[in-house]
Amino acid sequence: MTQTTPPQDGTYFRACNLCEAICGLEITVQGGEVTGVRGDAADPLSHGHICPKGTAMPDLHRDPDRLKRPLRRDGDTWTEIGWEEALDLVAASLLRVQEKYGPHAVGVYQGNPSVHNSGTLLSAGGLLGALGTHNRFSATSVDQLPHHRAALEMLGHPLLMPIPDIDRTDFLLMLGANPAASNGSILTAPGMRTRLKAIAARGGRVVLLDPRRTESADFAEHHFIRPGSDAALLLSLLHVILAEGLERPGRLDAFTDGLDALRAAALPYSPERVASFTGLEPAFIRTLARDFAGSPSAVAYGRVGVSTQAFGGLCQWLLNALNVVTGNFDREGGAMLPSPAFDLLMRARKGERPLGRFTSRVRGLPEFDGELPSAAMAEEMDTPGEGMIRAFVCVAGNPVLSTPGGERLDRALANLEFMVAIDPYLNETTRHAHVILPPATGLETEHYDVIFHHFAVRNTARLNLPVFPIGEDQRYDWQIFGGLRERLTGAKGSDPSARLALGLKHGPYKLSLDDLRAAPHGLDFGPMVPGLPERLLTENGRLNLAPEALLADLPRLEAALDVPTPAVLLIGRRQLRSNNSWMHNTPRLMRGADRCTLMLHPTDAARLGVSNGDLIGIQSRVGRVQAPAEVTEAVMPGVVSLPHGFGHGRSGTRLNVAAQRPGVSYNDLADPELLDELTGNAAVNGVPVTLERVRTAHEPAAEVAIGAD
Ligand code: SF4
């Protein structure tokens, strides 16, 4: 991972690392500037697909707000300092806090971009090891932690997450997923709209259940489902299939345990029993179960909507179970395991269970894979006592906007003894840092997608070389992590390309970095292939359909079935031109109408006397924000939807474009107390809220008291 010479005029090929789709890009450079970005038609995975965010890659590169040199804060004043001074200061400050209060007094948060940069992914571990703190958090527990838990319990490893073989399936059942906007999530499949259309074109079906008629509904038969009720629907589908003898696990039967226990678990959940909880007609549930079981191939897939809710773990277990019971697991057109060229599971051992080794100090929330739930972060900073977080390392994240209870975290960060951010932006979170260490990013870095080939619909590999060199006063992420580690422990950090080379060499395709350098569009190793039971990592080498921990979580769902649902539930909204809290500082992605609107159904609007554009006050247990109303039948009655990642109106940031269209933060409403209690994942979808009209679209703002929003 060395610097390149300045770019010559010409065409460069590299993958976009902004999201999970990892689209190949064709980048034209003239006079030292990017003059064009289009999809790389020769990329064997993306076939030329590109989305608006990929087109905006050069905007990030030349963004005047992007930081390149370390900043130190004194009060409200930021001063540029040298790298050696900055690294010395950070290491000394972290050591001072740990010497005074113990190792756990330093908290760490790793944001979503951490897994989209191989430099960070392969080198941050050295710093984490040096710190030795239990107070590690990441975006995982506000996203896909239930997938990991279900994978661990059923297949034996958190990363053995099966993905839908959408290019060969006859029936795609989607719950709480919006791949037309996300381009696939825990499913690397660039060009999802084309792939969804292809299912129908070959005579297949796509059925989508979601409380919002999302962009993906244009490619599916869409049905509304009440937020948080998906686990009950899945149990009911299994109930019908098992009661009617439609199960056919086929060859999976030889290495699968727990079918009888699953049958007993599903027995109470007849379609009639779950009808009012889910909002779905019993006849619809029955037909869906029969159609799914009877399809030549079928696959059930659920994403953020079913993962970031109160029963996320149950949902991911039952989705897998539905695929197994119908024989649609580890087979063409079903749920399958990709075979990545750099396989993070290469050295994994059977029977390892990286969970429950410690709990969070304040609420006793469970550890998973070395991390605690992010919903506990603020309380660990502002609740006095031994083990309280006094210093914080924030890596490529903006948890003030992206984790529940953002306002409380905002206040807690302001009172820390020390904070360092490893981040190229002065954002709503990093403004609290005492030092910001900005790594080189995007087109300046060498990148191999270490993570997302594990979830890709086709087995490919691609090394992405830098287009631009970095300046002498810039540093790569791995140099920053290495520099801090060396100061904390004396051990030298190293260029992660050596580790990458080793992993590729010992991976399934025995590759070298030179092999990849010689293939600028990437290498293709074909579609996913069956790999069970050999790839199972459970202690007994068998697939577990009825894990004890999941069965033990069912009474919680049972209890919820009889609790009256709050009148209004808030859900999030993915947008094609957003990526969580980032990508809001590029002018081309922020053009057009205000996107931070509250969608509500006409019946709810009528009840509240609200019209399009009226300003709505939205109140949850933990906070209140105001957003303009978007009255639409695209959400079901009793459900309102607000996008996440906005809230750029806070002072002291350096995001000039984002600040012009600030919106409000979803996570000022999301309640850290609302969790999937099994996994610790934040339940940011299905938040009870109350609404009131603050003013009409035509009333001037100055004539009404808006309060502290
Ligand atoms: S879908 Fe867009 S953001 Fe995601 S990798 Fe492709 S071009 Fe980049």
Side-chain angles (χ1 to χ4, degrees), residues 64-142:
D65 288 340
R66 179 161 73 96
L67 306 176
K68 295 184 177 173
R69 287 169 285 280
L71 290 181
R72 188 189 65 218
R73 181 171 63 81
D74 299 295
D76 292 336
T77 307
W78 290 96
T79 312
E80 278 189 6
I81 57 174
W83 280 100
E84 295 304 306
E85 181 188 350
L87 293 169
D88 287 347
L89 174 60
V90 170
S93 303
L94 294 174
L95 278 174
R96 189 186 65 240
V97 167
Q98 289 195 313
E99 278 165 13
K100 194 167 165 193
Y101 303 107
H104 311 310
V106 173
V108 181
Y109 177 82
Q110 292 185 276
N112 168 287
S114 299
V115 291
H116 292 274
N117 290 284
S118 47
T120 297
L121 197 81
L122 295 174
S123 55
L127 175 62
L128 295 174
L131 290 171
T133 174
H134 281 175
N135 280 313
R136 280 176 49 198
F137 310 89
S138 82
T140 291
S141 52
V142 196

Side-chain angles (χ1 to χ4, degrees), residues 16-23 25 49-55 182-183 190 579:
C16 175
N17 63 336
L18 293 175
C19 90
E20 298 178 39
I22 52 175
C23 301
L25 302 180
H49 176 74
I50 187 170
C51 87
K53 297 188 290 292
T55 315
S182 70
N183 268 303
N579 200 349

Side-chain angles (χ1 to χ4, degrees), residues 156-501:
H157 194 283
L159 282 180
L160 279 178
M161 299 194 288
I163 65 136
D165 185 12
I166 53 164
D167 291 344
R168 295 181 291 183
T169 196
D170 296 296
F171 192 131
L172 175 63
L173 171 62
M174 293 195 290
L175 280 76
N178 186 7
S182 70
N183 268 303
S185 183
I186 314 292
L187 168 59
T188 290
M192 274 301 303
R193 291 172 189 233
T194 307
R195 293 176 197 263
L196 290 173
K197 274 189 215 159
I199 297 175
R202 60 177 178 263
R205 277 178 75 189
V206 181
V207 175
L208 169 66
L209 289 122
D210 198 295
R212 182 167 77 87
R213 187 172 297 121
T214 64
E215 294 77 357
S216 298
D218 293 346
F219 307 90
E221 303 161 31
H222 171 257
H223 304 269
F224 286 129
I225 182 170
R226 294 172 66 97
S229 70
D230 312 79
L233 167 69
L234 291 163
L235 280 162
S236 194
L237 294 174
L238 284 162
H239 170 103
V240 174
I241 288 166
L242 295 169
E244 297 188 3
L246 302 175
E247 69 271 25
R248 43 168 191 175
R251 74 173 185 91
L252 303 171
D253 202 30
F255 51 86
T256 298
D257 293 330
L259 183 59
D260 286 343
L262 181 69
R263 189 189 305 277
L267 191 63
Y269 296 91
S270 68
E272 288 72 19
R273 174 93 199 288
V274 305
S276 73
F277 187 61
T278 59
L280 295 164
E281 292 293 329
F284 167 77
I285 297 173
R286 272 209 171 77
T287 306
L288 181 61
R290 291 169 187 153
D291 289 354
F292 187 87
S295 180
S297 70
V299 63
Y301 162 69
R303 244 330 258 137
V304 165
V306 296
S307 197
T308 57
Q309 55 138 299
F311 303 105
L314 288 180
C315 286
Q316 295 303 335
W317 162 46
L318 295 166
L319 284 160
N320 285 344
L322 188 57
N323 291 327
V324 173
V325 162
T326 54
N328 287 300
F329 203 81
D330 197 41
R331 64 158 287 198
E332 219 175 276
M336 300 190 80
L337 296 170
S339 308
F342 182 106
D343 187 355
L344 285 167
L345 276 65
M346 212 164 28
R347 296 225 175 102
R349 289 195 298 269
K350 282 188 173 172
E352 288 179 327
R353 288 183 59 80
L355 80 169
R357 292 163 293 189
F358 52 92
T359 56
S360 69
R361 177 182 62 105
V362 177
R363 239 190 298 173
L365 296 177
E367 168 261 355
F368 187 90
D369 214 6
E371 294 183 358
L372 292 168
S374 290
M377 206 156 38
E379 70 200 25
E380 293 297 331
M381 291 178 190
D382 66 11
T383 308
E386 204 181 323
M388 179 183 180
I389 295 175
R390 315 277 182 155
F392 191 51
V393 181
C394 189
V395 181
N398 191 355
V400 165
L401 297 192
S402 59
T403 63
E407 253 185 27
R408 179 174 174 183
L409 181 64
D410 204 8
R411 288 192 299 274
L413 291 173
N415 291 320
L416 291 173
E417 290 189 21
F418 180 75
M419 173 175 164
V420 56
I422 300 172
D423 199 290
Y425 281 101
L426 211 175
N427 63 32
E428 292 75 14
T429 299
T430 64
R431 69 188 175 132
H432 294 297
H434 296 87
V435 179
I436 301 179
L437 304 171
T441 188
L443 301 177
E444 298 164 337
T445 61
E446 183 170 308
H447 172 64
Y448 176 88
D449 213 300
V450 171
I451 289 286
F452 294 103
H453 288 298
H454 287 76
F455 314 123
V457 76
R458 193 172 178 87
N459 297 313
T460 65
R462 177 171 185 150
L463 183 66
N464 305 293
L465 300 174
V467 177
F468 290 95
I470 61 169
E472 279 183 9
D473 52 357
Q474 287 181 269
R475 295 291 181 273
Y476 295 113
D477 44 9
W478 57 270
Q479 291 175 311
I480 296 170
F481 290 113
L484 289 175
R485 180 187 178 204
E486 188 176 347
R487 284 164 174 80
L488 292 172
T489 65
K492 283 210 178 300
S494 62
D495 182 331
S497 56
R499 201 175 148 203
L500 179 59

